[in-house]
Structures are given as C-alpha cells and as structure tokens.
Amino acid sequence: MEGLIVGKKDLESLRYTAETAYKTTEFWKEKFSNINLDELTPDTLLSEISNIFLTPHDLYEVGKVWPTYIKNLDVFHGIMRTSGTTGKPKRVAFTYDDKKRYRRQARSWAREHLEGSIMASFTAPLPSSSGVFAIEGFSDANIRYHQIPIQYLRMRDTLIKELKEIKATGIFGLTAAVYNLSLTLPEDIRNDIQLIIMGGETLTTELAKVVLENFPNAVIFDVFASTEDGLTGYRLITKKKVTPFSFSESLIVLKQTKDEEYKEYHEIYITKIMNDGELTGLPLFNYRIGDLAKVVDGDVVSIIREKDTISLGGAKLHIDQVMDIVHRYPFLVDFVIIYHPLSPDNPKPKAIIKVGYVGEKPAGIEDEIRELIYEANNPVRYEVEEAKSSELIVEAVPAEKVREGLPQKPGKTKRIFIVGRDI
C-alpha cells in the first residue's frame, strides 16, 4: 500500500487504544476481528486501510461507534454537536480524558510561544467548537485569556475599545475572522499583536502573507482541528518560514490520492491515540475525514479541508483556490460562494462567486478571476466551458453587499451557501 505515516507512533499507546476500543465498541470489534492486536503497528493501519477505517457518516450509528462506558453512563461525559462534512448534526462524546488529551495537543507549543500572552479569543464557546478546548492546553502556559463576544466583530468601535482595555497581544479565531480583523483594526492595535492562532478554513499562502503584512509583529499558528479529534496538528508561519505540520497526539496515515490534478496530495486518515488507562468518548482509527494533505519530502506542508469544497460536474472547486486568487487584490476584501448543487430540480450545478470590493469597481475583474480559477483548476474549466455540465459565475459587488440576500441554509463552511437540496 503506497502511503506515509506521521505523528505519534508509540506502539504501547496504540495497542492499548485498540484493545480498549475492541473490548467496548461494537464497530471496532468488527473491524479488528481479523487483526492480532498484540502485533498491531502503525504499518498495520496503512496496509489494512481499506478494511479498518471510519467515515463521518458512520458517526450517526451511535449504538455501534459509542463504547459501552459511554452508552452505559459509566464515565462522566459531554456531547459536542457538529455538522462538518455530512450536512446534518453528528454528536461526539468527550470525556475528562479527552480534555487532558487536548491539553497535551496544545502543550507542545503553548508553553514555548504563548507564555506571557494576553489572548483575545473570537472562537465561540459552543459545544460544537473543538477550538474552545484549546483553553485546556493554554492552561499550561502563563497567559491571560479573554473571551470576546463574536458580535463585536460587527461592532468596530466597541471591539476597538475592548481590545485597548485588555491590551491584547494575541488573537485566537477562525481564518476569515482574523483576516477581516487585519483589515479593520487600527495600526496601534495591529502592531501590539505578537501571536495569532487561527483555523477552521484553509489558510493559503497568499492569505497568510496578507495577515502577516497587516500584523507586522505577529507569528501565525495554523491549527488543523476537528471536533472528533481535537487539535490534531499545527504549523508555524512567519514572514521568513513555514514549518511542516506537527502531530503530537494523533497517528496520521497518508494515502496518495488518485486524483491526477492533486498528485502531491494525500488523503488524511486520523487515529486518536490515548495514553494507558484513559477512556476517550469516541475511538478513532483511520478516520477518513476527507481532507487532503500536501506532502513534500515526507512532511505535511499544507492541508485542504474537505468542507471547503463544492462539486461542479466531475470537478472539485476548493475554497483555498478561490481564497488565493481573491486575496491577491488589495481592493477585494470578502467573498462567498452561492452553490446550486445537483438535485432532482437542478440538473446542472452552478457556483456564483460574489467578491466584495472597496472603492471603484475594477474593470474586468470578474473575467480576470474566472480565468485565474481556470488556470488553477483545469477540470473546472473543462466542466464549465467544454462539457457545459456546470456553470461558474463571478460577480463583483461593493463589500457591504456581498452577504446580502444569501440563502438561509449555510453550507459546510461559512463562505459557502447552498440553494435547494444537495444530494
């Protein structure tokens, strides 16, 4: 089996995690029925990847995927609600041991880089948010943590007053929120920011460059996280370097994609590793979340999130490509994709990309963006222009009108809005 293995490869912890899942979880007892767990290694998970895996849709089968100690209320646990890539809520159990694991995931960089920070968090403290549990990891560093109401992002004067009062030196939020802050905050506040923790949407090279230009004294921690596994990995981005992703508590199997347009990318399979004696709310082995990792010389250097993807006929349009293109232009400050998926009522999928500009409307910007998309994604060009199986429309509007009249049903990411029923 062609692939790579990175992350935590501790054999004792892997075997303990598998044995616990086998004894307590119907789903994993079936998956590991032909495996000698005493001889289980990371290579086993790679070679058996077609048999041993879990998908987001499997999480609906709580009777099979939840262990007995969760179903029988043997240990205290909470439930996180998440939709992710499936389009309807999944419910993920988490235990006190999961919270300890979050702490370990963040500890490797919190102590070194967060020490002494005053953190302003724009990550919602909701039961569907994995990011909020990063606080567990931050507790190992000497920091002051402020939860900022998310509605302040739309109340500029109130937000500026709040940040000046707390004298923030760090920001913690979703990629799009941090980018917008970099455009709206006054220079004196931006100069004080030394640390930015961001995640959620794909962080592209171009977008990271813009953020660091606007926060000239900051470094970025790009966090790859999910409700199911926590803070799986992270990379450090400065003006001079981008480190590979590091995975401290998860075993990551990378299987090369068959998509010819993404030869450098591998499919990501996540295994949640627990320490001896711990009980996780949701055991994960080869969790096929759908994300793609770009691998260079054995290192994961960037990740495309599956939730940031729409389908146009036989082609995928990734939001990171649109982000890279839009943020090349200083006068474009926002965008959304209105997606009309294939359905019984709509035989031809359509994507409308609305980009928001400031000042005068740039002449020919719609055609220029469309051509850049075609240049980056030839399958999209083929499906739209030659096969005519799909439609791609680019509309440039004043920035304040980008989010007017959007469909009520948000898609898998806050930048995609779905019209009708997605099959």
Side-chain angles (χ1 to χ4, degrees):
M1 172 66 66
E2 188 174 0
L4 299 168
I5 300 169
V6 297
K8 188 170 184 177
K9 303 177 184 178
D10 180 72
L11 291 180
E12 290 186 9
S13 296
L14 173 61
R15 289 169 183 170
Y16 162 77
T17 306
E19 288 168 0
T20 302
Y22 180 87
K23 293 175 183 176
T24 63
T25 310
E26 181 182 338
F27 184 89
W28 294 115
K29 185 172 185 179
E30 180 181 324
K31 292 289 186 180
F32 284 115
S33 59
N34 296 319
I35 302 295
N36 183 348
L37 296 183
D38 291 333
E39 299 177 359
L40 181 68
T41 68
D43 287 324
T44 308
L45 293 179
L46 174 60
S47 62
E48 295 289 332
I49 202 166
S50 59
N51 301 313
I52 301 175
F53 67 91
L54 180 74
T55 71
H57 286 279
D58 291 325
L59 301 187
Y60 297 131
E61 303 293 331
V62 296
K64 295 184 66 176
V65 301
W66 282 7
T68 53
Y69 52 82
I70 294 294
K71 293 189 289 186
N72 297 339
L73 306 182
D74 295 334
V75 299
F76 177 80
H77 62 277
I79 303 294
M80 287 191 284
R81 181 183 184 276
T82 177
S83 56
T85 57
T86 60
K88 72 176 186 177
K90 305 185 298 289
R91 290 171 175 85
V92 177
F94 67 94
T95 66
Y96 178 70
D97 289 336
D98 283 313
K99 295 182 74 173
K100 290 194 296 185
R101 187 170 175 276
Y102 274 100
R103 185 179 296 123
R104 293 198 301 271
Q105 286 177 317
R107 180 183 294 154
S108 58
W109 46 275
R111 284 178 173 173
E112 180 179 358
H113 296 280
L114 271 65
E115 192 73 20
S117 295
I118 302 171
M119 187 66 60
S121 174
F122 295 91
T123 297
L126 300 173
S128 62
S129 171
S130 60
V132 71
F133 286 97
I135 302 172
E136 297 292 323
F138 298 168
S139 64
D140 282 335
N142 179 28
I143 74 167
R144 192 166 79 218
Y145 186 91
H146 292 263
Q147 182 67 52
I148 309 296
I150 289 181
Q151 58 265 37
Y152 281 15
L153 292 171
R154 297 181 179 273
M155 304 161 62
R156 187 176 185 274
D157 292 342
T158 304
L159 173 61
I160 291 173
K161 180 181 179 182
E162 183 84 0
L163 292 177
K164 284 186 174 179
E165 285 183 357
I166 69 176
K167 296 180 172 59
T169 62
I171 290 176
F172 179 30
L174 296 176
T175 301
V178 173
Y179 168 73
N180 288 330
L181 286 170
S182 78
L183 298 174
T184 60
L185 292 178
E187 184 178 7
D188 59 335
I189 292 181
R190 288 189 281 114
N191 288 343
D192 287 340
I193 302 301
Q194 301 166 23
L195 177 73
I196 299 170
I197 304 172
M198 57 201 301
E201 294 172 317
T202 299
L203 177 61
T204 67
T205 303
E206 191 67 27
L207 189 56
K209 179 182 176 182
V210 171
V211 170
L212 289 175
E213 284 178 353
N214 291 330
F215 291 105
N217 300 313
V219 298
I220 293 174
F221 280 91
D222 179 22
V223 180
F224 170 55
S226 70
T227 302
E228 297 87 343
D229 183 53
L231 310 176
T232 307
Y234 75 94
R235 61 176 174 168
L236 177 65
I237 303 175
T238 70
K239 289 185 176 72
K240 295 183 179 180
K241 70 173 182 178
V242 180
T243 68
F245 273 91
S246 173
F247 307 94
S248 61
E249 297 296 321
S250 304
L251 177 69
I252 308 297
V253 172
L254 301 166
K255 178 185 174 185
Q256 191 160 31
T257 178
K258 296 178 181 178
D259 191 335
E260 287 296 313
E261 294 294 320
Y262 291 89
K263 291 181 179 179
E264 293 179 301
Y265 285 83
H266 288 63
E267 297 172 1
I268 298 176
Y269 291 76
I270 300 171
T271 296
K272 181 193 289 187
I273 303 296
M274 301 296 290
N275 287 348
D276 188 13
E278 293 181 345
L279 297 175
T280 179
L282 179 69
L284 297 178
F285 297 89
N286 280 345
Y287 183 44
R288 192 171 67 197
I289 197 169
D291 296 337
L292 297 177
K294 185 175 183 179
V295 178
V296 177
D297 296 329
D299 291 324
V300 175
V301 297
S302 64
I303 294 173
I304 295 176
R305 308 304 304 262
E306 174 65 19
K307 66 181 181 179
D308 299 336
T309 303
I310 62 174
S311 296
L312 293 176
K316 289 183 178 180
L317 177 60
H318 293 278
I319 202 170
D320 74 310
Q321 293 172 332
V322 181
M323 272 186 159
D324 250 341
I325 291 165
V326 168
H327 296 307
R328 294 180 192 184
Y329 302 95
F331 49 80
L332 296 180
V333 296
D334 196 9
F335 79 91
V336 297
I337 300 176
I338 302 170
Y339 180 41
H340 298 252
L342 184 68
S343 72
D345 299 324
N346 182 43
K348 199 173 191 180
K350 177 171 66 174
I352 301 172
I353 302 173
K354 290 176 64 176
V355 298
Y357 61 83
V358 292
E360 296 293 323
K361 180 177 179 178
I365 189 64
E366 289 103 337
D367 290 339
E368 192 169 332
I369 290 174
R370 188 183 300 104
E371 288 304 316
L372 287 170
I373 290 173
Y374 289 161
E375 184 180 316
N377 196 324
N378 188 59
V380 168
R381 180 202 62 77
Y382 172 79
E383 295 292 349
V384 174
E385 301 296 336
E386 296 183 27
K388 299 191 184 301
S389 68
S390 310
E391 293 183 64
L392 176 64
I393 299 170
V394 180
E395 297 179 354
V397 299
E400 63 273 14
K401 294 186 179 295
V402 169
R403 295 175 182 268
E404 281 187 1
L406 293 174
Q408 293 301 303
K409 180 185 176 185
K412 300 169 186 176
T413 172
K414 293 178 181 179
R415 287 187 182 269
I416 296 175
F417 294 83
I418 298 176
V419 178
R421 182 161 63 96
D422 187 354
I423 63 170

